[in-house]
Amino acid sequence: MDTPNLGLPKREEITCPQCNNIYTNPKQLPCLHVLCLECLNDLATTSAQNDKFKCPICQIEVHVPESRSMENLPNCLHVNNLLDILAIKEHHASSVTCVNCDQTVEEASYCFHCDRFWCQACLNAHNVLKENKLHRVLALKEIGDFEDVLKGSVTPVAGPSSEQKDHSSEDMTAIINDISCRLDAAREPSRKITSCIHVLEENTRLVDYRSRTNKEHIQRTVSSLILTVQQKEQELVAEVENQTMKAKEQLEKSKGELQEQLKKREQFVSQIEALIQRSTIAGFLPSTKLIIDELFEGLQELEDPDMLSTTEWKSLAMFAKNKEIFQSLQSLGIGDLATKETTTEANQCSVKWFQTATAGLEAEIEVITRNSEGKQCYCPGDYINLQLISTQDRDTVTETKITDYTDGSYKISFIPIEGGHHLPTIQVNGETVGGFPPLLIKERSFLPEDTLKQPWGVTVTEKSEIFVTDLQSNRIVIFNEAGKFIRSFGHKLAKNPTGICINSKGMIFVANRGNDKILLFNAKGEYVTTVHNGGLLKQPRGISLDSQENLLVCDTGNKCIRFFSPNGSILKTIGKGGLQFPFDCLCYNNKVFVSDRDAQLVKVFSQSNGRILYEFGGKSLGEPLGLAMDKTGHLLVSGILSNSHRVYVFTLDGKFVTKYGGSFGGGLGQLNTPTSVSVLTNGRIVVCDCRNSRLQVFA
């Protein structure tokens, strides 16, 4: 086997797998893989979720400290020594680092048994040990031809023991081969432990998923019970109200009859009293007596009040609760957390690919869960997972969404982040479903899909609604992703509107170039306030939001970028003196990207201190205008280069990837002054084709 300490280090031994450059300050992860400290810090800053990130080689999760710095990870001494060997061989270094005290010294020695560099003080301690007497050690100043030293043909001038002179390079090779074999054997348990950790992590994910599913089912069951009880409540209340209404109607009827009878009786009694008062004993005529007798007969003919139909309130039905329901709930509950094995068999499940997958665009597949007999079945709590493993052995799926139809069918929506051949892996409850041939993820073709209306600035929502500032008609227009007009607003307020962005609450910010203001509208398009009322800005153009939802504004007239809080307070200014014509801006990964139209460059600043980090573009780009991030993490730049009006795609460090859009013109796919660009939730790209008075959507 290869023995790196007896020859020059191989390229792969001293190359960081993340940045593909020679290691700088190599650090060792818990999984024993080695990366540059800078690469680890980038992963900790940009890729950390829930204070963890995955090793790019083996995908094991690594904890991120609160400081977001990985400098406390152990140094990889083996790689450091390989780098020192390379530096000495190429005469690029006159000093090395001592393995023991970490001091950088010019006078040092190299031990071929320890495969380490030692300073003189630490070497003395090294030589004191009995087991080190046979170690072959050379002082760097005594090394002439480094190749001869590595081959073992140079005899050291001074060493810890004369017995070293009798030690041949063949013996050294045998010893090191033996150590390498023993080291491989020692590493085998580590690999097994790593594999067990993977299994435990997968089981943890399954436990979390089962817990979420149980909680959702419990909540749905309780909600269903509550709904059922509420329906029964409404039925009983309606029955009580109906019974009450009928009883009250009967009571009112009886009351009316009694009141009518009372009225007649009072009339008869009143007449009798009047006749008696007008008559005397001497003058009491027989006719008067006859009249009074008739009145008394009338009183006797009226119905007896006790015989009238009345409703006795005590006879009305009373509510009696169903004791069995309460007893049943108390004894049986609403359900059980019973241990129930799923009947789903991963090797029986089927997968249907709905469409070919394209990098940066949403794709869908359907998974059908089946039992051992191959019949479609549904088991609550089944866990479905999708991975696409690239040739670089990493998962390239992002924004995965799983729709559970509760009948044994699941729809998985996902977006691949890069093209090429990928090995799809679909798991049900941690077990792999069948075997699939490599899947070709197509690169973006950027063909135009549809045409819309006249724009200047554009942004989209999570519902794929497209908001466009219409520069000429002084309004903001909203379309759906199919190009259908929804509504417009801002007609009396917008004045040459340019940049537009929307925060997480649906509040809409619009840059008014005509009066140097930033307007704020609510989600309904109703005017709320003026975020910035002029006086500081001059001809604002592109605007965007940072991760804290502070507002970034291209203050084109003042040649800088302004940061405002949501209430309009100025926070800071960057790029002053370093920008010629800032056209658009966006904040991503703690960096501020600015398209400097007149400088023909995209300039990148630090968000924290405003210092310029780097720039790219130049004559090959022309005049950069709109900026956006696509679903694969690439920077989109719309620009003008002579008669070529296109959208260019770059990596975040400024490396050109591709371009799309035809030459200057008005045909489908051709552009004329593409002022802005944005990305729909499905990955398709919307471009403001300003001078052609339309939008174009590219697939």
Side-chain angles (χ1 to χ4, degrees):
M1 63 183 296
D2 291 333
T3 54
N5 59 328
L6 291 181
L8 290 178
K10 296 181 179 180
R11 172 74 184 182
E12 59 268 21
E13 293 177 314
I14 56 175
T15 299
C16 173
Q18 180 70 5
C19 62
N20 292 323
N21 295 321
I22 300 296
Y23 281 111
T24 56
N25 199 354
K27 295 286 185 177
Q28 187 167 287
L29 293 171
C31 58
L32 305 182
H33 291 118
V34 181
L35 279 78
C36 298
L37 175 59
E38 183 178 357
C39 295
L40 288 170
N41 286 337
D42 287 343
L43 288 172
T45 302
T46 62
S47 303
Q49 295 182 354
N50 298 323
D51 295 327
K52 293 180 181 179
F53 70 88
K54 290 186 178 180
C55 169
I57 301 173
C58 66
Q59 301 299 306
I60 284 182
E61 290 186 339
V62 180
H63 176 73
V64 178
E66 292 183 1
S67 63
R68 289 296 192 224
S69 174
M70 309 302 291
E71 60 184 354
N72 290 330
L73 284 174
N75 296 320
C76 185
L77 301 179
H78 175 67
V79 174
N80 276 326
N81 278 282
L82 292 179
L83 294 174
D84 285 340
I85 292 173
L86 180 66
I88 294 171
K89 165 60 184 172
E90 296 180 351
H91 304 289
H92 290 164
S94 59
S95 60
V96 295
T97 302
C98 175
V99 67
N100 188 53
C101 63
D102 292 330
Q103 297 294 320
T104 301
V105 295
E106 294 184 1
E107 295 187 4
S109 299
Y110 184 76
C111 176
F112 287 84
H113 281 70
C114 300
D115 193 18
R116 300 287 188 269
F117 289 98
W118 300 80
C119 69
Q120 189 58 45
C122 295
L123 181 63
N124 293 334
H126 166 276
N127 294 339
V128 168
L129 299 176
K130 182 178 179 180
E131 60 266 26
N132 294 343
K133 287 185 177 181
L134 296 180
H135 285 200
R136 180 170 176 260
V137 179
L138 283 179
L140 294 185
K141 63 182 180 180
E142 303 296 339
I143 297 177
D145 189 342
F146 196 73
E147 289 285 1
D148 291 338
V149 173
L150 295 174
K151 294 175 182 177
S153 60
V154 174
T155 302
V157 175
S161 173
S162 61
E163 297 180 32
Q164 288 179 317
K165 299 179 182 180
D166 300 327
H167 224 69
S168 66
S169 83
E170 288 80 5
D171 293 337
M172 296 292 294
T173 302
I175 292 172
I176 292 175
N177 283 342
D178 177 64
I179 293 174
S180 298
C181 291
R182 291 162 61 191
L183 184 60
D184 285 342
R187 285 173 175 163
E188 182 60 29
S190 297
R191 285 191 284 267
K192 291 181 179 179
I193 292 173
T194 300
S195 177
C196 290
I197 290 173
H198 279 302
V199 173
L200 292 174
E201 288 176 343
E202 181 63 26
N203 286 339
T204 300
R205 283 191 287 270
L206 291 172
V207 168
D208 289 339
Y209 180 78
R210 179 61 62 90
S211 174
R212 290 197 306 272
T213 303
N214 277 332
K215 291 176 183 177
E216 290 171 359
H217 287 177
I218 291 170
Q219 291 167 353
R220 283 199 295 266
T221 300
V222 172
S223 298
S224 178
L225 285 173
I226 292 173
L227 181 60
T228 301
V229 171
Q230 288 175 338
Q231 289 175 342
K232 293 299 181 183
E233 175 194 17
Q234 292 171 1
E235 292 174 2
L236 284 173
V237 169
E239 186 176 346
V240 169
E241 290 177 347
N242 184 52
Q243 177 181 279
T244 302
M245 182 183 67
K246 290 181 178 179
K248 291 175 71 174
E249 287 177 352
Q250 183 62 42
L251 289 170
E252 287 295 327
K253 179 181 178 182
S254 298
K255 178 182 174 182
E257 292 175 352
L258 287 173
Q259 287 176 337
E260 182 65 25
Q261 183 169 329
L262 176 62
K263 182 179 178 182
K264 290 181 179 179
R265 284 183 174 276
E266 289 177 347
Q267 289 175 352
F268 288 153
V269 171
S270 177
Q271 291 176 9
I272 293 171
E273 289 176 344
L275 288 172
I276 292 173
Q277 290 175 359
R278 289 197 300 266
S279 301
T280 62
I281 296 177
F284 194 83
L285 300 176
S287 60
T288 302
K289 183 178 181 302
L290 290 174
I291 294 173
I292 291 175
D293 289 341
E294 290 179 357
L295 290 173
F296 276 114
E297 289 178 359
L299 285 172
Q300 292 175 354
E301 291 176 357
L302 292 176
E303 189 175 357
D304 184 355
D306 293 333
M307 301 302 293
L308 292 174
S309 175
T310 60
T311 300
E312 175 59 49
W313 65 270
K314 293 181 180 180
S315 65
L316 295 178
M318 282 295 296
F319 171 73
K321 68 179 181 181
N322 188 338
K323 295 181 180 180
E324 293 181 359
I325 291 179
F326 289 92
Q327 292 172 354
S328 175
L329 281 175
Q330 292 295 329
S331 61
L332 300 178
I334 62 172
D336 295 315
L337 287 175
T339 302
K340 182 181 179 182
E341 295 291 336
T342 177
T343 59
T344 300
E345 295 287 343
N347 58 5
Q348 295 289 341
C349 297
S350 59
V351 178
K352 177 182 178 182
W353 294 82
F354 288 152
Q355 59 192 56
T356 58
T358 303
L361 297 180
E362 187 176 62
E364 295 177 348
I365 64 172
E366 182 185 51
V367 177
I368 304 296
T369 53
R370 303 181 186 278
N371 58 23
S372 58
E373 298 177 356
K375 296 180 180 180
Q376 183 170 332
C377 66
Y378 176 67
C379 293
D382 279 351
Y383 178 69
I384 314 297
N385 186 42
L386 165 70
Q387 287 184 322
L388 286 179
I389 306 301
S390 68
T391 54
Q392 287 75 34
D393 197 29
R394 59 175 178 171
D395 189 6
T396 60
V397 169
T398 186
E399 298 188 26
T400 302
K401 294 180 294 185
I402 299 179
T403 304
D404 181 357
Y405 293 108
T406 67
D407 61 355
S409 62
Y410 302 81
K411 183 178 74 174
I412 306 179
S413 304
F414 63 97
I415 297 180
I417 61 174
E418 64 181 46
H421 285 88
H422 297 69
L423 184 63
T425 301
I426 299 170
Q427 293 182 326
V428 175
N429 299 327
E431 297 183 15
T432 301
V433 177
F436 302 97
L439 176 68
L440 177 62
I441 306 297
K442 298 190 299 184
E443 298 288 353
R444 296 288 291 275
S445 60
F446 300 107
L447 297 176
E449 182 180 75
D450 204 350
T451 59
L452 298 174
K453 192 175 172 64
Q454 179 180 357
W456 195 100
V458 63
T459 190
V460 302
T461 67
E462 292 184 355
K463 297 179 180 179
S464 291
E465 291 180 334
I466 304 172
F467 286 67
V468 186
T469 56
D470 194 340
L471 186 69
Q472 298 300 321
S473 62
N474 294 316
R475 60 176 182 161
I476 296 90
V477 186
I478 308 175
F479 302 90
N480 64 19
E481 63 179 319
K484 183 179 179 180
F485 173 85
I486 298 177
R487 66 181 187 276
S488 62
F489 62 92
H491 303 73
K492 296 182 180 180
L493 295 167
K495 187 174 182 181
N496 298 133
T498 50
I500 183 170
C501 60
I502 303 175
N503 69 12
S504 60
K505 297 180 180 179
M507 304 300 285
I508 306 159
F509 297 84
V510 177
N512 251 14
R513 194 179 75 187
N515 56 14
D516 301 332
K517 295 180 179 180
I518 306 296
L519 306 179
L520 178 63
F521 300 86
N522 63 22
K524 296 180 180 179
E526 300 167 337
Y527 173 72
V528 177
T529 187
T530 299
V531 176
H532 182 73
N533 196 21
L536 179 64
L537 298 175
K538 186 177 180 180
Q539 296 186 3
R541 280 176 168 74
I543 62 175
S544 63
L545 298 169
D546 66 11
S547 59
Q548 303 300 316
E549 299 208 329
N550 295 313
L551 188 66
L552 286 73
V553 181
C554 284
D555 190 353
T556 306
N558 291 313
K559 302 180 180 180
C560 63
I561 304 297
R562 308 278 192 188
F563 280 72
F564 294 94
S565 67
N567 62 9
S569 301
I570 181 71
L571 299 177
K572 60 183 174 181
T573 300
I574 67 172
K576 196 77 172 178
L579 296 169
Q580 297 182 30
F581 197 100
F583 197 92
D584 199 4
C585 59
L586 66 85
C587 188
Y588 183 80
N589 193 20
N590 299 318
K591 297 175 182 177
V592 180
F593 295 80
V594 181
S595 55
D596 194 348
R597 191 194 70 179
D598 289 359
Q600 298 187 342
L601 293 168
V602 174
K603 297 182 178 180
V604 186
F605 299 83
S606 168
Q607 182 184 358
S608 58
N609 57 31
R611 294 180 181 176
I612 188 166
L613 301 176
Y614 53 92
E615 58 188 30
F616 57 91
K619 293 182 179 180
S620 60
L621 174 62
E623 298 178 353
L625 303 178
L627 300 176
M629 293 293 302
D630 73 1
K631 296 292 185 178
T632 60
H634 289 121
L635 181 69
L636 306 177
V637 184
S638 62
I640 301 172
L641 177 61
S642 184
N643 286 329
S644 177
H645 294 217
R646 300 179 183 272
V647 176
Y648 300 84
V649 184
F650 295 89
T651 61
L652 295 184
D653 57 2
K655 295 179 181 178
F656 174 78
V657 177
T658 187
K659 59 186 177 182
Y660 61 93
S663 59
F664 170 80
L668 189 63
Q670 294 180 318
L671 299 170
N672 185 350
T673 316
T675 51
S676 297
V677 60
S678 190
V679 181
L680 292 164
T681 54
N682 60 12
R684 289 182 169 82
I685 296 171
V686 184
V687 181
C688 291
D689 194 358
C690 185
R691 297 293 175 85
N692 283 326
S693 297
R694 64 185 181 180
L695 295 181
Q696 290 202 68
V697 180
F698 289 78

